[in-house]
Amino acid sequence: MGSKRKSTVKKNKRLKKLKKTVYEEPEELKRAPHSFVIHRGQIGKSLLQLVKDFRKVMEPFTAASLQVYKKNTIKDFVALAGPMHVSHLCVFTSSDTGVNFRVARLPQGPTMTFKLQNYALSKDVVSSLRKQMVNPKLFSHAPLIVMNNFTGEGLHINLMATMFQNMFPTINVTKVNLNDIKRCVLMNYNTETKLIEFRHYAIKTVPVGLSKGVKKIVQSKVPDLSNFDDIDEFLLKPELLSDSEFEESTSSNVVVPQKLVSRGNIVGTQSSIRLSELGPRLTLQLIKVEDGLMTGDVMFHEFIKKPDDKNEAKEAKED
């Protein structure tokens, strides 16, 4: 009986160790920003698809299959956020005045409310491209975030930049593996219109200075030689130069610093960086900043200006 009991204890210990191995995330993954992307209230099919598209942007550190029910409240998602290491809550809502997009830092705020001026779904963006580059492997790593022109007067601009940057994992340029950078998110702020253009791209690196025929062979693509008498004719024909060789300047060329998985890109040689849009496209305008989670003091409002306390005190003193 004693040996049987010892065997059971050892088995239970192995099971506990196995569960810990399966479910315990590495520390660097725990520290990475995680997100919930949800909707509230009544929305149409188009906006529901936009929620799914935005979840794809935030992969792999988001709840891709999160089910949202009418009875769920914001408190429910906040309660789940701690155990799941969720740091940001993105909420789409629809009303008579249009579509709003809220981004909140969990668990205590701040919260930013944007008006969605217009948007295009991923399927519409991709279908409009001549060359499409959609692959499930693109979403195995978080995108690179690129911020442009987030400058100007007002604390709200710095808050916007900080909020968006913190939604994505930081990159250590000395340790980063370039094979993990497969996507990028570009956000451009127009200081005159106060609009933010949001774009989402796939990144591809291709060798330069090769004809299309050579490029196919280097990248292990089987060419069709049925219309050629000799392989030299296929390789040396000038009209077989890649289309991009005529269109693109050398500004997109870089020297490959690391070994890349994609064929033809050799360390120390030049390759070209290509972007293919994945969608969705968003045009946002910041409306309000609250210091709490969906509530609290209003730190900024685009249409309601807070009175200047110093000026009020000065006027009262003069009176």
Side-chain angles (χ1 to χ4, degrees), residues 163-275:
M163 180 73 83
F164 287 132
Q165 286 173 340
N166 290 339
M167 288 173 65
F168 301 92
T170 56
I171 291 178
N172 187 332
V173 293
T174 61
K175 297 181 179 180
V176 66
N177 183 351
L178 295 180
N179 291 301
D180 296 341
I181 302 179
K182 301 179 183 295
R183 295 180 293 134
C184 73
V185 168
L186 174 62
M187 303 192 72
N188 180 68
Y189 180 67
N190 189 318
T191 54
E192 294 182 1
T193 62
K194 299 182 181 180
L195 297 180
I196 303 165
E197 296 294 337
F198 177 101
R199 299 290 185 269
H200 180 214
Y201 297 95
I203 301 174
K204 185 178 181 181
T205 310
V206 296
V208 298
L210 303 178
S211 70
K212 190 180 291 186
V214 174
K215 196 174 293 183
K216 283 184 178 180
I217 294 175
V218 169
Q219 296 176 336
S220 296
K221 297 177 182 177
V222 180
D224 181 10
L225 302 176
S226 59
N227 296 324
F228 301 95
D229 297 326
D230 192 280
I231 185 99
D232 289 344
E233 189 179 348
F234 173 76
L235 296 176
L236 301 178
K237 265 193 170 184
E239 59 266 29
L240 288 177
L241 278 173
S242 173
D243 295 338
S244 59
E245 304 247 344
F246 295 105
E247 300 169 0
E248 291 189 10
S249 66
T250 56
S251 60
S252 64
N253 294 353
V254 296
V255 177
V256 180
Q258 293 181 10
K259 184 178 180 180
L260 300 179
V261 175
S262 53
R263 294 179 180 273
N265 296 294
I266 303 171
V267 177
T269 63
Q270 283 200 343
S271 292
S272 178
I273 303 298
R274 307 284 176 82
L275 298 179

Side-chain angles (χ1 to χ4, degrees), residues 112-123:
M112 294 191 166
T113 301
F114 297 88
K115 183 176 181 60
L116 197 56
Q117 298 288 0
N118 54 67
Y119 66 90
L121 300 176
S122 294
K123 63 178 182 180

Side-chain angles (χ1 to χ4, degrees), residues 295-311:
T295 186
D297 292 338
V298 177
M299 303 168 65
F300 167 83
H301 201 293
E302 177 62 29
F303 304 115
I304 302 175
K305 302 300 180 184
K306 292 179 67 175
D308 191 329
D309 294 337
K310 292 183 179 179
N311 289 340

Side-chain angles (χ1 to χ4, degrees), residues 73-85:
T73 64
I74 295 297
K75 289 183 178 179
D76 295 332
F77 297 105
V78 175
L80 287 172
M84 299 183 69
H85 314 296

